[in-house]
Amino acid sequence: MHSLRLAAAVLPLLLSSCMLGPDFAPPETPLPAKFSEGAKQSVGDVAVSAWWNSFSDRTLNQYVATGLDKNLSVQQALERINAAAADVTITGAGGLPNLDFGASHTICKARDVTSTQNISGGQLSLTGLLDVFGQYRRSTESALASLDSAHAAVDVAKLALIKDLVSSYIDARYYQQRVSISRANLKSRQETYDLTNFQLEAGAASRLDVSQAEALVQSTIAELPSLELNFRVSAHHIATLIALPSEMVVKQLQKNEGQPVYRGKINAGIPADLIRNRPDIRQAERNLAAATAKIGVAEARLYPAITLSGSITPSYINQRGRRGDISKWSFGPSLDLPILDGGRLRANVETSKSAAAAAYISWKSTVLTAVQEVQDALTAVRRDVRTVNSRHRQVETTEETLRLSVDSHKDGASSLLDVLDAQRQVSSAQSSLATAIQKLAKDHVQLNVAIGGRFAAPMVASPWVEASRVSQQMQTSGPTRNSRALHCGMF
């Protein structure tokens, strides 16, 4: 008798610890030991690196801090964390007992009866599902992985914001620099035009010389509206990203000029670092964990569902000549066994397996794309440096050529055409240098974003508080199409 009682007590514990479906194991894919133009040293955790500080630009730092605090895309991602956390609660509640209480009071009187009958009653019912095959535990596992994915999505949104914001700032400063170059060239060309007009009146220049000098002045004037437009478009985009009035941003940018120059070191780490540092890879891995857990949910629905339910219904009757209590109670299990469903449940299992396999492919694709992005950015940065150095030398050479041409023209040893051509070369060289500096800065941005560099928390106080993270390291599954059999064990 004692052994039967012991078995009856232990059996529910054994059954409640059995879960169908594969357990999750972190996915793997072959990766090179180093990037094609990188070193073999790990970069460590760059997720807390405010790499944009390497531009040494206070205005840029202020914009990034404001964007992390006020950007609408980031705020939307934060709200999705709240929804995902609520889904964890909803999913977990499905496997918990439900307790309901109800009460009633009835007054009745028959037409041919003089007395009135009062009936007071209540009902207390308890229903609980035995999660024998782990349907609700797998569902909770999937919901927790989705919550982790929502947290990673916030990091993805922050990284995308920083990339867009810093790149737009670099563009705005580039167009400011181009405007400054054009205005300086316009001043020089206007002086040449005035000098040519004076020489025409003195008979030392031809009308052709004047026309050529004037054409160069007009072409420079024609450049300015387009450059000013592009500057304002970039400034307007910055204002949108940080949720500030556009005119405020335009006025802030107009207070000073100068292209941002990245002064940080090039340290891309190794490909394995990306698994830890890239938020999109972590998000894909958590999506895979959520999809894998759903295989167990689908498989559990192939098996019986056992429900224990009980209720107590007390009532009190008060009538002239009759008073008393009546209590009813009931308790017992119920079994729900799917027999004929047209193959729907098994098709759901195959669908879940296919979704998990697709999630693994998505994770692998994200990893390989990340490796390519780092290698492309590394290649670009290393070559951009050489280009910028060459453009600097080109500007110095053309400016020296212009000085020599002007002196030679004043001495009558060369024509005005030589001076105008030298001015064109200086203008072209200065514009090319500005473009090279812009590209180098943006490629540095691309490299830091590609390795997952971001700032883990806003740099200024933010009214938007992230939901508390539910972090539970679970042994979940890779996308195997042949799920393992029942895993049973004592709690």
Side-chain angles (χ1 to χ4, degrees):
M1 178 65 69
H2 289 290
S3 61
L4 289 176
R5 290 178 180 175
L6 181 61
V10 171
L11 182 60
L13 293 176
L14 278 170
L15 290 176
S16 64
S17 66
C18 298
M19 286 200 298
L20 289 170
D23 290 333
F24 180 74
E28 297 180 356
T29 188
L31 290 174
K34 59 183 287 292
F35 295 111
S36 59
E37 296 190 29
K40 293 184 178 181
Q41 290 79 24
S42 172
V43 74
D45 185 7
V46 298
V48 295
S49 173
W51 50 266
W52 53 91
N53 288 336
S54 295
F55 285 105
S56 301
D57 192 312
R58 291 183 180 180
T59 304
L60 174 60
N61 295 343
Q62 176 188 353
Y63 286 162
V64 173
T66 304
L68 290 172
D69 186 53
K70 295 184 177 181
N71 180 259
L72 300 182
S73 296
V74 173
Q75 291 177 11
Q76 287 178 342
L78 288 171
E79 285 302 321
R80 294 188 188 101
I81 290 180
N82 296 331
D87 285 340
V88 172
T89 302
I90 294 170
T91 303
L96 298 176
N98 294 324
L99 181 63
D100 296 319
F101 173 75
S104 64
H105 182 78
T106 305
I107 301 175
C108 59
K109 179 180 180 181
R111 182 175 298 178
D112 55 347
V113 178
T114 59
S115 63
T116 301
Q117 186 180 52
N118 289 270
I119 303 175
S120 299
Q123 183 177 19
L124 186 67
S125 61
L126 177 66
T127 304
L129 177 69
L130 293 180
D131 194 16
V132 178
F133 302 103
Q135 175 180 343
Y136 286 98
R137 278 170 289 156
R138 288 298 193 195
S139 296
T140 302
E141 186 179 303
S142 178
L144 285 169
S146 296
L147 177 59
D148 285 339
S149 175
H151 279 279
V154 173
D155 294 337
V156 171
K158 288 180 178 180
L159 196 58
L161 162 69
I162 294 170
K163 177 183 178 181
D164 194 3
L165 181 56
V166 178
S167 297
S168 298
Y169 184 83
I170 291 170
D171 287 341
R173 291 304 192 190
Y174 162 72
Y175 289 118
Q176 275 187 303
Q177 182 69 10
R178 288 290 309 276
V179 168
S180 178
I181 291 171
S182 293
R183 286 175 177 168
N185 289 333
L186 177 61
K187 181 180 179 181
S188 173
R189 291 170 180 179
Q190 184 68 49
E191 291 174 352
T192 301
Y193 171 68
D194 294 338
L195 176 61
T196 307
N197 260 326
F198 176 77
Q199 290 177 336
L200 176 64
E201 294 175 358
S206 67
R207 185 63 190 171
L208 176 61
D209 293 335
V210 174
S211 297
Q212 289 175 332
E214 183 180 6
L216 202 55
V217 169
Q218 294 302 324
S219 67
T220 307
I221 294 175
E223 292 176 355
L224 287 171
S226 175
L227 296 174
E228 291 170 349
L229 169 64
N230 289 331
F231 162 72
R232 283 188 168 268
V233 168
S234 298
H236 296 166
H237 188 56
I238 292 172
T240 300
L241 292 175
I242 63 179
L244 289 179
S246 58
E247 276 307 307
M248 178 187 299
V249 174
V250 170
K251 289 180 180 179
Q252 287 177 342
L253 292 174
Q254 288 175 338
K255 290 179 181 179
N256 54 69
E257 299 178 359
Q259 289 186 266
V261 177
Y262 189 81
R263 295 175 173 85
K265 296 181 180 179
I266 301 176
N267 187 9
I270 58 177
D273 292 332
L274 299 178
I275 305 297
R276 173 182 61 250
N277 294 329
R278 287 271 297 223
D280 54 342
I281 294 178
R282 289 187 284 107
Q283 182 183 20
E285 187 266 346
R286 290 289 83 202
N287 289 338
L288 171 59
T292 303
K294 289 180 180 179
I295 297 176
V297 175
E299 289 186 349
R301 289 172 179 166
L302 295 172
Y303 294 86
I306 301 174
T307 304
L308 295 179
S309 60
S311 64
I312 300 176
T313 310
S315 61
Y316 178 78
I317 300 176
N318 183 3
Q319 186 180 12
R320 190 173 64 179
R322 180 186 176 189
R323 290 182 176 84
D325 296 326
I326 301 175
S327 295
K328 298 179 181 179
W329 65 272
S330 64
F331 176 79
S334 63
L335 178 67
D336 183 10
L337 176 63
I339 298 177
L340 296 176
D341 65 350
R344 177 177 57 85
L345 294 178
R346 291 197 176 278
N348 284 338
V349 173
E350 293 302 314
T351 298
S352 300
K353 290 179 179 180
S354 180
Y360 170 73
I361 294 172
S362 177
W363 173 86
K364 186 174 181 179
S365 175
T366 304
V367 172
L368 296 179
T369 300
V371 173
Q372 178 190 344
E373 289 176 353
V374 174
Q375 295 191 139
D376 290 348
L378 267 175
T379 301
V381 165
R382 296 188 186 283
R383 283 152 182 79
D384 288 343
V385 172
R386 300 208 304 260
T387 300
V388 169
N389 292 336
S390 297
R391 293 300 184 189
H392 272 296
R393 291 193 294 271
Q394 181 185 11
V395 169
E396 293 172 358
T397 301
T398 55
E399 287 177 345
E400 178 65 20
T401 300
L402 177 59
R403 286 193 294 270
L404 294 175
S405 297
V406 171
D407 293 341
S408 178
H409 178 63
K410 290 179 179 179
D411 295 338
S414 63
S415 67
L416 177 64
L417 185 60
D418 295 329
V419 175
L420 298 179
D421 185 60
Q423 288 180 336
R424 291 191 193 95
Q425 291 179 4
V426 169
S427 176
S428 176
Q430 290 174 337
S431 299
S432 297
L433 174 60
T435 302
I437 293 174
Q438 176 202 28
K439 188 176 186 306
L440 175 60
K442 294 183 76 170
D443 284 336
H444 272 295
V445 172
Q446 180 62 36
L447 176 60
N448 281 282
V449 171
I451 64 176
R454 59 180 173 81
F455 195 54
M459 296 175 65
V460 294
S462 172
W464 303 96
V465 181
E466 292 190 19
S468 60
R469 179 171 183 135
V470 179
S471 179
Q472 183 177 11
Q473 293 298 332
M474 301 167 293
Q475 297 177 351
T476 38
S477 79
T480 56
R481 296 196 61 83
N482 296 320
S483 61
R484 286 184 254 172
L486 213 55
H487 299 285
C488 298
M490 291 292 293
F491 277 138

